[in-house]
Every structure is written in structure tokens, then in C-alpha cells.
Amino acid sequence: MERTNTKDIVSKVAYLIGVKKTVLYNQFETERPGYLKELDENQNARTIRSLCKLRMTLLHRFKKIDDMLRFELKNLKTIEFFDKDDIKQLEKWEIPVILVNSRSSLYMEHFNDLIQEHIDACKDLFPEWLKWEYLRSLFLMPKNKKTDVPKAEFAKYMANMEFYPYQTYIYWQHPKDCGNMLFNDNKFVNILYEMHNDYFFETEKVLDAGETTKTTIYDFIERGERTAIIVDCENSDVYKLYATLKNLNQEELQKVKKIILFDDVHTTRAWSCLSHFLDIEVEHIEVERVNDYKSLVDIKMTAGACKEFYSNDIQSFILVSSDSDYWGLISSLPDADFLVMIEYGKCGKDIKEKLENNGIFYCSIDDFCSGNIAELKSYALQEELKGQLEQALNLNAHTLLETVYRNCRIQASETEQKNFYDRYLRTLQLTMDADGNYLIKPKTF
């Protein structure tokens, strides 16, 4: 299937390092409408952007500005090269920009210190799976009192300016020709990790389903007039489904009347969390078992779809499942329209051929970008952690972490697990309710 590269990360990096607004608009605004306004209204992002712009202006005209400061007794507010709106906004936020009786070298050190002081406030703009220390390093010009670092950085930057993203300064130890490193997330993250002698393996987090797939889904919803999404929770991945729904156009998705989850009692707790992050009505049907060895989800799902078709005038169904048994449902409603969402590793060749031979479009939820679903993962992990804490108070923290991730069926990098461990497990506190019962919960709950 066709896949496209995401630009969520590079659009924010470009904004923060101070790329011109005209370039940002032309390169990113059409794909991410409203993103510039959103970042402009974020104080942390605007602070770093303004400081990087001031530093880059100083870097470009270092000697000229130094002469104006030294011989003309000017300051940044009276030097035409600097953006006065940036200085005014920073001062409004009580970030000291203007120095008294200072020269270019002191201003460069001052800007570097301010960037280092404020850059960590931008960490939450980026997904947890991205190594923040790598990204952070792009903004920090190194210090070394024994050598003239700004002069060396200036010489390196000027000699290799065409290699820098949109000719905008970042700290790059060994600049080289790699095209536009901010062309898309996949390219940028791979270059970023390579800068630190590391390799990025999780490409599914920076690739998304192609426009052909998305357009076909939108056309199906539009054509059906009344469409429902029916999910076989036993044979679907909740996080991949959420990634699919989040990466679709939300205006188009609003035309879906409801999402119905047919869930076995033994599946992950995360299905119960899904409704908290969707604007579409979600009906969660938990199917009990007569015995532990036989699931009744397929039967309930078929009956539920028939009810929606005959009683609620639902004409089209987006069916999410990788189990070939769903063909029984499709054949039970010959007058309904179906679009099927599968997972590559769980769906066999025979059922794919059956769908193709009957003119039923199918796509894979594996193809949709999974790099921007941190809120669902975090919420599911917190809910699972709460559930585990309710069952037992005396638990090993590392065992608890493994249990929470296993039960949520989330495969995560060491960095993601460490962030969750530090944020929630390290902050566990013992509290007491009004009835004298002891509770353990993290500070952030």
C-alpha cells in the first residue's frame, strides 16, 4: 500500500529554530492548517523561536553589530537587523534580552544561556518516543572558555550554510549535504539519530497511509450517508485503530454516526479508554462468555450489525477486524456496503482475495502513523496502573511496569518506559480517604 511521510515533528522544529514565516506557511501550513497560529500562541514555543532568531541575526552580522554596539552606542532595540516584536514579546514575559554596555560576544553567550534555560519547556511539544536529548542538542551552542566557540561556529555555519535546514542555524557538529533535513519526519529523525551514532528503527511512527487510501475512506463515508464503524476488539489493535482514526480528516470522520465496539471480557482495558479521545459516539458492548474456551463476539457483532441496518437505517459499515469469520457478517447483509480495515500480520490471503473478488475495498490500520497517539497510551497505562494498584499494594516497581505494558499490549522503547516509570511509578504516594482506607497513587493522577 502507498504510504506518505508525516511532517508533525519537522514543522515544529522549523518553527522553533526560527525559519521564516513565509517558508513555514508554504512548506507546512497547507498540510497542517492552523499549526502556525497554535505555536504562536504557545509561550514556550514562541520564546525559543524568538531567542533563536535573535541569535541567528547576531551570528549573521556579528562584526557589524559589534561595531554598532561599541562605536555607535546602540542596543538591540535600535539596531535595524533585529525583530523588535521578538524583543518586545520576550520582555513582556520578563525574559531579559537587553544587556548594558555589552558587545556581540557577550550577547551571543547571553542568548545561548537563555535558550538553554528555556528549551526544556518545549519537550512536551514532541512525542515521548523521540529522544529529547538528541533534539535538544540542536539548539545548544557548546561552551568552551579556552576557545572562541561563537567564532568557530560562525565559520563552520558560513562555510556550510547550504547544508543547514533553510539555511537556518542549528548546532550541527559535522554538517554535510543531505538535502533538506526538514523535508519530512522520517528523514529528519534518521539524520538526528545518526548525528548521535544511533539508529531509528520505529518508522511506523513517521509514516502514514497514502492519500489514495484516505480519499477512498472519505468517499465511502460520503456515499453511504449513514455509516457506522463496527470493531471486533478481539481481532483488532486498539492503538492502531486510534492511530487510523486520528490521522483521518476529522471533518470527514464526523459524518460517521457511531462506533460500536464488540469486546470480549478478556481483551485489553484500553478499549474502555477510547471514547475519551473521540468526538464520535462510541458504544462499547462487552460480550460475556458461556465458557472460558469460546468467544461469542462474532455472533454478537453479526447480530448487532443486522440490528443497525434494519432498525437504525445504517447503510454502510466500516468493519475493523482481521478474522476471516467476519465474512459471515458481510454475506448476511447483501444490501449493505462494507469497507474493511485489517492488520497485515493477522489477515490471511484467502479472505483478502474474497474481498477483492467481491469489490470490497480493504486497507490496513498498520499503515497509519502511530507516532501521535501518546495521549491514549498514557491514559490506558494510567488506568491499568490504577487497576493493578487496587488489587495489591506491595508490588515491585519493575514488575508493575512490565505488567502495565503487557496488559495494555503496548510495545515501547526503553525511553518511553523510563519516562512512564519516572513520571508515575517514582511518584507513588500513600494517601488516606475519608473512611481511613489507604490508597497508593502517583502525584500526577
Side-chain angles (χ1 to χ4, degrees):
M1 285 285 186
E2 168 200 9
R3 300 191 74 180
T4 59
N5 291 284
T6 61
K7 295 186 178 181
D8 292 342
I9 295 170
V10 293
S11 59
K12 293 174 183 176
V13 172
Y15 178 90
L16 293 178
I17 66 175
V19 173
K20 292 179 181 180
K21 280 284 186 74
T22 53
V23 176
L24 295 177
Y25 187 87
N26 290 332
Q27 295 296 318
F28 305 114
E29 182 70 18
T30 53
E31 294 186 32
R32 304 190 66 233
Y35 112 95
L36 282 174
K37 183 175 184 293
E38 179 184 335
L39 289 177
D40 275 338
E41 293 173 352
N42 184 304
Q43 181 175 334
N44 297 325
R46 177 74 185 277
T47 296
I48 290 298
R49 174 176 173 80
S50 296
L51 290 170
C52 285
K53 285 174 62 184
L54 292 174
R55 181 175 65 179
M56 188 165 59
T57 299
L58 182 61
L59 194 62
H60 271 255
R61 302 175 183 268
F62 191 88
K63 181 63 168 60
K64 177 67 173 176
I65 292 171
D66 190 60
D67 289 342
M68 297 173 78
L69 292 169
R70 185 181 180 186
F71 300 115
E72 300 178 32
L73 302 180
K74 290 191 174 186
N75 63 38
L76 269 57
K77 290 183 178 179
T78 57
I79 295 176
E80 62 270 23
F81 306 133
F82 292 98
D83 189 324
K84 306 306 182 295
D85 290 337
D86 287 332
I87 297 173
K88 183 179 179 180
Q89 187 62 66
L90 290 170
E91 289 184 331
K92 183 179 179 181
W93 289 328
E94 299 182 351
I95 298 173
V97 178
I98 305 299
L99 299 177
V100 178
N101 299 325
S102 295
R103 295 179 60 177
S104 288
S105 58
L106 288 176
Y107 264 114
M108 183 63 73
E109 184 177 343
H110 182 52
F111 292 153
N112 287 333
D113 288 343
L114 288 175
I115 291 171
Q116 183 167 356
E117 179 183 346
H118 291 279
I119 185 60
D120 284 331
C122 292
K123 181 179 180 179
D124 290 342
L125 294 174
F126 299 94
E128 287 189 355
W129 51 262
L130 185 65
K131 291 187 178 180
W132 172 245
E133 63 270 26
Y134 293 178
L135 190 57
R136 183 178 187 269
S137 69
L138 298 179
F139 296 86
L140 304 181
M141 187 182 292
K143 293 182 179 182
N144 189 335
K145 293 184 178 180
K146 294 182 180 180
T147 60
D148 192 341
V149 171
K151 185 176 181 180
E153 277 297 296
F154 172 78
K156 181 175 66 176
Y157 170 61
M158 294 303 293
N160 301 278
M161 186 184 292
E162 68 273 18
F163 301 155
Y164 284 73
Y166 302 106
Q167 299 186 352
T168 306
Y169 176 78
I170 57 173
Y171 175 64
W172 193 355
Q173 190 172 6
H174 303 293
K176 64 178 181 178
D177 186 2
C178 58
N180 179 9
M181 70 159 63
L182 298 183
F183 185 66
N184 58 56
D185 293 343
N186 189 25
K187 182 173 186 176
F188 170 71
V189 174
N190 276 282
I191 293 173
L192 179 66
Y193 277 53
E194 181 185 308
M195 288 180 181
H196 296 268
N197 299 314
D198 198 354
Y199 189 81
F200 181 70
F201 295 97
E202 301 174 288
T203 55
E204 72 279 359
K205 294 179 177 177
V206 291
L207 294 175
D208 197 16
E211 285 304 311
T212 300
T213 296
K214 291 183 178 182
T215 301
T216 302
I217 295 172
Y218 304 148
D219 289 346
F220 179 84
I221 295 172
E222 186 72 33
R223 189 171 61 250
E225 294 184 4
R226 292 184 59 82
T227 302
I229 299 175
I230 294 184
V231 185
D232 174 5
C233 299
E234 263 192 318
N235 294 288
S236 300
D237 184 301
V238 59
Y239 307 106
K240 291 180 181 179
L241 174 60
Y242 180 58
T244 299
L245 298 177
K246 186 166 183 179
N247 285 287
L248 291 172
N249 182 292
Q250 297 306 299
E251 290 186 9
E252 296 290 344
L253 206 56
Q254 284 298 311
K255 299 172 185 177
V256 173
K257 300 305 178 183
K258 66 168 69 173
I259 298 174
I260 310 175
L261 307 176
F262 290 91
D263 193 8
D264 185 79
V265 292
H266 293 165
T267 61
T268 175
R269 193 191 299 263
W271 287 109
S272 300
C273 306
L274 197 60
S275 61
H276 293 273
F277 300 95
L278 298 174
D279 293 329
I280 308 171
E281 176 189 350
V282 177
E283 183 178 347
H284 191 182
I285 300 173
E286 290 193 346
V287 181
E288 296 184 359
R289 294 191 175 202
V290 176
N291 61 64
D292 290 336
Y293 304 103
K294 179 62 177 175
S295 168
L296 300 177
V297 167
D298 291 338
I299 297 173
K300 284 283 188 178
M301 189 167 69
T302 300
C306 291
K307 178 183 176 182
E308 293 297 325
F309 182 79
Y310 290 110
S311 300
N312 297 329
D313 197 28
I314 297 295
Q315 303 164 357
S316 302
F317 296 92
I318 296 177
L319 179 59
V320 185
S321 178
S322 295
D323 185 358
S324 60
D325 289 347
Y326 62 67
W327 186 254
L329 163 57
I330 293 175
S331 58
S332 297
L333 293 172
D335 295 327
D337 291 324
F338 286 91
L339 184 151
V340 179
M341 293 183 175
I342 62 169
E343 292 174 63
Y344 287 127
K346 298 179 181 178
C347 190
K349 178 181 177 181
D350 291 343
I351 187 62
K352 292 177 185 177
E353 290 180 351
K354 191 79 171 176
L355 293 172
E356 291 171 1
N357 292 336
N358 285 271
I360 297 175
F361 178 82
Y362 69 89
C363 62
S364 176
I365 56 177
D366 300 284
D367 287 339
F368 289 82
C369 175
S370 63
N372 58 351
I373 60 171
E375 66 269 34
L376 176 61
K377 288 184 175 182
S378 178
Y379 190 83
L381 290 166
Q382 292 179 53
E383 291 299 300
E384 182 63 29
L385 179 57
K386 289 178 185 178
Q388 291 295 322
L389 291 173
E390 289 173 359
Q391 296 178 31
L393 299 180
N394 297 317
L395 291 173
N396 176 274
H398 298 289
T399 302
L400 180 58
L401 180 71
E402 291 176 3
T403 302
V404 168
Y405 272 90
R406 183 176 62 251
N407 287 354
C408 283
R409 298 181 186 175
I410 292 178
Q411 292 182 347
S413 65
E414 290 184 6
T415 299
E416 288 178 272
Q417 292 189 46
K418 184 179 183 301
N419 287 337
F420 185 84
Y421 184 92
D422 290 340
R423 186 171 182 179
Y424 298 110
L425 297 186
R426 283 189 180 277
T427 62
L428 290 177
Q429 292 181 324
L430 186 66
T431 62
M432 181 184 293
D433 64 19
D435 297 323
N437 299 311
Y438 285 107
L439 304 171
I440 294 180
K441 59 181 181 180
K443 287 182 181 179
T444 49
F445 273 17

